[in-house]
Structures are given as structure tokens and as C-alpha cells.
Amino acid sequence: MQKLINPKRKEWDALCTRPSYSTESLTERVSEIIAMVEARGDKALIELSALLEGANLKNLAVSSSEIEEAKGSISEDLKKSIDLAISNLTTFHSRQIRPVEYITTSKGVTCWRKGVGMETVGLYIPGGSAPLFSTILMLGIPAKLAGCQNLILCTPPNASGTINSAILYAASILGIQQIFKVGGAQAIAAMAIGTETIPKVNKIFGPGNQYVTKAKELVSVRGTAIDMPAGPSEVLIIADESSVPSYVAADLLSQAEHGPDSQVILLSTSDEVLNETLCEVERQVMELPRSETAMKALDNSRGILLRTLDDCMQFSNIYAPEHLILAVEKASAYAEKVVNAGSVFLGNYSCESAGDYASGTNHTLPTNGFAKAYSGVSVDSFTKYITYQELSREGIQNIGPAIEIMAEAEGLLAHKRAVSIRLKDVQND
Amino acid sequence: MQKLINPKRKEWDALCTRPSYSTESLTERVSEIIAMVEARGDKALIELSALLEGANLKNLAVSSSEIEEAKGSISEDLKKSIDLAISNLTTFHSRQIRPVEYITTSKGVTCWRKGVGMETVGLYIPGGSAPLFSTILMLGIPAKLAGCQNLILCTPPNASGTINSAILYAASILGIQQIFKVGGAQAIAAMAIGTETIPKVNKIFGPGNQYVTKAKELVSVRGTAIDMPAGPSEVLIIADESSVPSYVAADLLSQAEHGPDSQVILLSTSDEVLNETLCEVERQVMELPRSETAMKALDNSRGILLRTLDDCMQFSNIYAPEHLILAVEKASAYAEKVVNAGSVFLGNYSCESAGDYASGTNHTLPTNGFAKAYSGVSVDSFTKYITYQELSREGIQNIGPAIEIMAEAEGLLAHKRAVSIRLKDVQND
């Protein structure tokens, strides 16, 4: 980690840059994959799976016997842990459902807004080094609460054509029945376009590598909604004299192990805490199985001494971190000053892992500074809000004349006439 | 309008297609404009304005004297009408603000979600044939309610370098102080990148022509959020025996006058109502100042007889209209069956114009079938929801072990250790 002492305000913008992360060069290859899926559907998916995962698939769909088998192979401890996570996620997310409220705006004019779950949504879960079954909970629970009818899950098989048991278990316990063995850009293409086996979806959710990210970008321009733009995971920790350096170091590393392009930032008002934490990071990283990955991420990372906690908050709001840990004594007071962040963790016991798995908040969050304009995944991410209005005769009498005047001022005379023709009848009655 | 009698179910998908609307060919030109603005800032904007609008601008910013002058030139009737619209829009949108709710998910684990307004948002208002000051209300009111700090408005000047008075009046009454004379793709580029005069924004809102649409698409891929993908405006009306053909015709035309690429769809269970409405359309269109535009839109449009109102609802949910008018006797019952639509109008007195101007709902809505996955603009469109969590010692004791087990199962040992290091201390105390 790079250490900086009281950098000047004008240097902050540069210190807030992320490791460069361009997917530009992938456009051609990913466009080819999308075109293959569009032209030849399932056949293209099976061929690509043989080529990329080395799997010889007969069926893309996971069978019910595969799911039963997976259930049997999960330890009771893991099942109970998943149950707890589901319970907390459900408690938190269910409060996001909004009741319909009828609002009288003018006499005789009633307006309301109703959330309706998207009919078919696609969840992508990467394979690779870490089987992210927790992401199934983070996407599946709000999707179910929103009332989505069809949940489609795509995840890549390993070379023997099978899927990680925990992934199958998590999906099945949420009632997700349509699980397909397909990964990468081709999975995103399949859900965006639809194939013989895989339904076309309204919106695609979930993390992935640069191929997946590029495919999501390309299909979103073609008209399939996506959860949010992607980028490597990141954490920013603000630590004062009350922080415990070994905890802060562990939190920095829990983020750094995600990938070599991850970034972790430590801001502190205490030179002592900063130095001790950086030493702890050096020490703890050696004990990790993924130490090589974490060390690469640390190369992109910074420990910065700043004069005041207000300076730290100002820096953090410019950086707009995906995860923000306020490891400070007056965490609640500083939480009020957060303007840009995905998810915020208060105090010494609120480690990022808690939000990653089981506190109840969602772990699908905006990275790469996108927290300035995007929110993490919530029930709303799976919901369309439809507005309604009903005007009575009195209603059109009350607001009709204003509509006529405004429509005329905009030069939209047919808009005016749609009101006039009604007002005439109402007044003649 | 094309008339169809009881088309078979398998023909419905084809009947739900929109007029083709490709901006692909514009990519090169719009990319050039973005590059110009990126390289030369304000200078590029002033040159482009001279080239495209024929305006010889000294300043991009609208001055306070221009705003004062505009205020003086607006009729009292129009001012009062705008006041009524603002009042109804504020009443409806203010109920979308969500209070913070603290939720205990497990003992010692408190989670909450807080809406924070985006700091800087950009509103684009097109010039051209219709000065859409109503759109300023539709974007400015929810932006203010969300708590956005800086509202930036861009709108093209006319050849004499001035802006329509109603646009300046509407902006000033909402307290929008940063108004710039810049239109088209270059306005979108300026707000996405920032220039000497125009601030860089977090998210861009507002309608526009194909250049604006393409520019929004291109800057969104570069990382600036946009309100939603664009497409021509549209209405679908469902009419039964109780409908008034002259009203339905007026509503179809109020949509058709928007542009030659607009589409209007009439579904009816009554052959008589269908025929009478189509005759009325022919008659009324001739009386419109924008009849030429409306007639072109009618060429893209369809009147379809279907057997039952349930069939009509099913068709409508496939079409996913921006505006849906339920001109049927039991409008409330059928409103319950809407799955995909932007905004719904119930009964004979709820014309689309009401929602366009003054009922209180937002008129910035998903077109082109995007209502399957997108909502219209609301306070949420200007809000980031940040999640928070605070674990006490008891909290980490309660959920820590589950986190350890799940993290280990995902192979993320540093995530596990961030919990273990705390649990060890807590248990040793």
C-alpha cells in the first residue's frame, strides 16, 4: 500500500482514481459471442461451453436430481448459516415494499403508484475461484419480494459439467427452478435474446468477469435492462485513534482478496493507527490462502493520513466507495455526513463481511465511483412503478383549463383539444 | 390507421412492434461532437451553436436580466396554470420520499437505508417546434424533493441566441439558476464531461432528438447515468361499448401530434366504437395545426378489434405502452390487470393530456416496450439509497459464526478472518 501524509486538497482527485479497468478491447470478441448465440441459440451455448469450460454438456438445464444431490451434500452448519442470512435479508428487504397510496392532488383528481415485479429476470452467478452462492440470496430474495414471476439463473459448469452444490442449494431453497449451465458473455447473450431452452428476460443482474461486464453493457444498449455498471470491488475505511489496527487490517484484506484489480483505501487522522494498520496488513496478508491476489490489490491501494475526520469524510464523498467502514468513535455522527457510498459500516464490530453475507443489507453495490448516481440492489431493482390517474367530471373541470393553457403555450393543440372536447360536454350537461 | 379484425394470438407479437428507430448511423457523428467538447470545452459549444442553430453566442449562461425579462412576458393565466401543475406534481411526488427506518435483523444488528439526493443533475430540454417547459416541472420538482444540490439546465437557443420565455419562467420558479444555451448532442457531452462554464453532472435527464438520444447512450457507457433509454412517444387505448369515440379519437391524436415516429394503438371489443373512432380520427386530424405530423404517425398506427377485454389487457401487457388509457366501464377492475405500462389513465375523463401537464403524475415515462423493466421518473430517479449497518458486540456474536461458515464455503478466507479476529476478542473479554 502506498502511504501518503496530508496530501493537498488539489491532489485528492488523483488519489481517488481507480486502477484502470478497460473492457474496450473485448468489444469485438464479445459481439461475436452475442452474434453466435443470436444465430444458433442452444447449439452455440453448448459449443462455447466445450471450448471455454471444457464441459461436454447434454443438457443446459440443471435437472431436479442434480439439485436433490446437491442438497444432500451440504453440511447442516452451512444450511443453518444460509437460513440465518435468508432470514435477515428478508427482514431488511421486505420493508422496502411500498404500499399503494391514493393521493388526491386536486378535487376529483386521484393519482397513485403501484409497484409491479418484472415478469422475468435473469441472475448471473460466476463460477471460477469462489462459488458465490451468497449472491443468489442477494438477488433472489428481493426478486421474490418484488413479485417477479420467473427467475432464471445462469452459472458456468466446471469441466465435468456440474455446478457447485452450494449454488444449487441456495437457488433451490429460494424456489429458483430454472437453472442453466452456461457462463460468461454467452450466458448474458442467452438471457438477453432467449434461446430454445433459456427464456428471454427483462433485466439481467449479477457480477462477472470482464467478458460478462462487456456483454451486459452491449445487451443494455440493445434494450435489455441491467442492474448497474460494473467495476472491481473496493472498500474505504476511516479510522481514528479508537480504531483497532488488527480489525482494520483484516477488513482491508477481506476486500483485497476479491481480485487483483480490487482497491482498498485507508484514511486516518492518527499516524499511529495508520502505521500499525499498514504493518498488520503486511503481517496478515502472508497468512491468507489468496495472498497473491490480495498483494496485487494492495499495489493499487493507499493509506492516507489526513488532518481531521471532516477531511476524511470529504475525501470519501469524492471517492464514493462501494463499501465505507466508519471505524471511528462517533460513527453515528459521521454516518450523517455520508453523501456518496454504496453501503456503510459503523464502528469496530461492523466488518464488511457482515454486509457481504448476513447483516441483511444487499451486497450488490455500485463500485468505481458509481455510488454518486446509483444505489445498490433492492426490491426496487426488480420493480416497475406504474403511475395511475383517475379524473372525475369535477376533476377535469378543476384542472382542464390549466391543461388547455399549458398545451397551447407548448404549441400542442391536439393535447388541448382532448381536454376541450370533454369540458364542452361537461359544461353543456 | 391500419384496421385489424380479431388477429390470431400468434400475430400479436408482430402487431406490438414499434416503427423502426435506429440511431446506429449517428454513432460516428455524435462521437465526433463528444470528442470536440472534450477537447475544447466552451469554445466547441459556441462554434457548434453558430453552426447548428445559427446563434452568435457571447455567453453560454442565461443572465438574470434575461430571466427577469422572461418573467414579465408570461401571461397571468399561464403563470396560474403552471402554479396549479406545480402544486399537483409536488403533492404527488412528495409522497415518494421515504423516511429512514431502522430495522433490527438479528439481535444487535441494526440496518437502515437512507435516500440522499444526487449532488448535481443535468436536465435537457429540447427546443424546436414545441417549447417543452412542462418537462422542466416534471424533472425539476422530483429533483428538488430528492434534495439535489445543483440543477443544471441545458436547452438550445434560437438563431437570435435567446431561449423561450416559458422555459426560463418555469426554470426560475423552481429555483433552477444554472441555465445554459446549448442543445443537441453537445449539451449532453458538456454535462457528462464538464466544461469551463458547464458543471459535470452525476446524471442526465430529459427528452431529445436522435442526436440527443445517441449522445445519452454514448455517455452512459462512459459512466454518466441517464434517466432511461429513449424512444418515440406512444399511447395504447382500450375502448369498450361505454367509450366515447370522439374522446378516444382526440386522445389518439394528442399522442400522434408528437412526432411522425409516434405510434398510437386502439384496442376495442366493439366494432362500432372502433369504426366510429377511426372515422373521428380522420375528421379531427384535419383540424389540427400539426395535422401533417399526426398523419405520418397514424401511418404507423393500428386499430384492432379483439374478442374480450381480457384479450385487450393481454395484448397491452405484451405491448407495454408508455401511456395506457382504459376507456372502459370497469376501468378500476382492469387497472388491476396492468403488468407493463408507464402511466395508466382510467375512464372517460382521464385524458393523456392530464398526465402530460397537471394531474400530478410524471410525464417522463418508458417508451418502446421499456415499461417491462423501467419506471417513469420519480423522486427515486434523483436519489441514491445508501444502506447502513451497525453491529454491537452481541450482534457480531449472533451472526459472526454464520458469516465464518459462509465465507469459508465461498473460499474467501480473509472475509472469514475479519469476523474471527473480532469474535476471539469478544469471547475473551
Side-chain angles (χ1 to χ4, degrees), chain A residues 77-78 81 84-85 88 91-92 95-96 98 101 103-106 109 111-114 116 118-119 130-134 137 202 217 221 223 225 246-247 250-251 253-254 257-258 284 287-290 332 335-336 338-346 348-351 353-359 361 370-375 378 380 383-393 396 399 402-403 405-407 409-415 417-419 421-422 425-426, chain B residues 77-78 81 84-85 88 91-92 95-96 98 101 103-106 109 111-114 116 118-119 130-134 137 202 217 221 223 225 246-247 250-251 253-254 257-258 284 287-290 332 335-336 338-346 348-351 353-359 361 370-375 378 380 383-393 396 399 402-403 405-407 409-415 417-419 421-422 425-426:
Chain A
D77 274 354
L78 182 53
S81 301
L84 175 68
N88 286 357
T91 300
F92 184 67
R95 303 285 270 273
Q96 294 165 9
R98 300 193 195 209
E101 207 185 341
I103 299 162
T104 301
T105 54
S106 284
V109 182
C111 300
W112 63 100
R113 208 162 80 109
K114 183 178 157 188
V116 179
M118 293 169 201
E119 288 180 284
L132 301 181
F133 61 85
S134 61
L137 310 183
N202 302 127
E217 177 196 312
V221 170
S246 61
Y247 295 1
D251 290 343
L253 288 171
S254 75
E257 79 171 335
H258 267 297
Q284 291 185 22
E287 299 168 5
L288 295 177
R290 294 168 72 97
S332 299
E336 291 296 318
V338 177
V339 178
N340 296 316
S343 196
V344 183
F345 301 76
L346 283 77
N348 282 328
Y349 295 113
S350 306
C351 52
S353 307
D356 287 339
Y357 290 104
S359 65
T361 62
F370 289 118
K372 290 179 183 172
Y374 291 86
S375 312
S378 70
D380 282 348
T383 304
K384 304 151 301 177
Y385 284 96
I386 304 172
T387 55
Y388 297 78
Q389 51 252 287
E390 184 161 25
L391 280 72
S392 65
R393 292 165 61 94
I396 192 80
I399 70 169
I403 299 167
I405 291 165
M406 291 174 75
E410 287 194 349
L412 295 173
L413 273 295
H415 283 66
R417 292 171 60 106
V419 172
I421 197 171
R422 288 166 164 101
D425 283 1
V426 169
Chain B
D77 274 355
L78 182 53
S81 301
L84 175 69
N88 285 357
T91 299
F92 184 67
R95 303 285 270 272
Q96 294 165 8
R98 302 194 194 206
E101 208 185 341
I103 301 163
T104 300
T105 53
S106 283
V109 181
C111 301
W112 64 101
R113 208 162 79 108
K114 182 178 156 189
V116 178
M118 293 169 202
E119 288 180 284
L132 300 181
F133 61 85
S134 61
L137 310 183
N202 301 128
E217 178 196 310
V221 170
S246 61
Y247 295 1
D251 291 342
L253 288 171
S254 75
E257 78 170 337
H258 268 297
Q284 290 186 22
E287 299 167 5
L288 294 178
R290 294 168 70 99
S332 299
E336 291 296 317
V338 177
V339 178
N340 297 317
S343 195
V344 183
F345 301 76
L346 283 77
N348 282 329
Y349 295 113
S350 306
C351 52
S353 307
D356 287 338
Y357 291 105
S359 65
T361 62
F370 289 118
K372 289 179 183 171
Y374 291 85
S375 311
S378 70
D380 282 348
T383 305
K384 304 150 303 178
Y385 284 96
I386 304 173
T387 55
Y388 297 79
Q389 50 252 289
E390 184 161 23
L391 280 72
S392 66
R393 292 165 59 95
I396 193 79
I399 71 170
I403 298 168
I405 290 165
M406 292 173 76
E410 287 194 349
L412 295 174
L413 272 295
H415 282 67
R417 292 171 61 105
V419 172
I421 197 170
R422 289 168 165 96
D425 283 0
V426 170

Side-chain angles (χ1 to χ4, degrees), chain B residues 57 115 205 226 274 281 289 311 354 391:
Chain B
L57 296 178
F205 294 80
I226 62 169
L274 179 62
V281 166
D311 280 355
L391 280 72

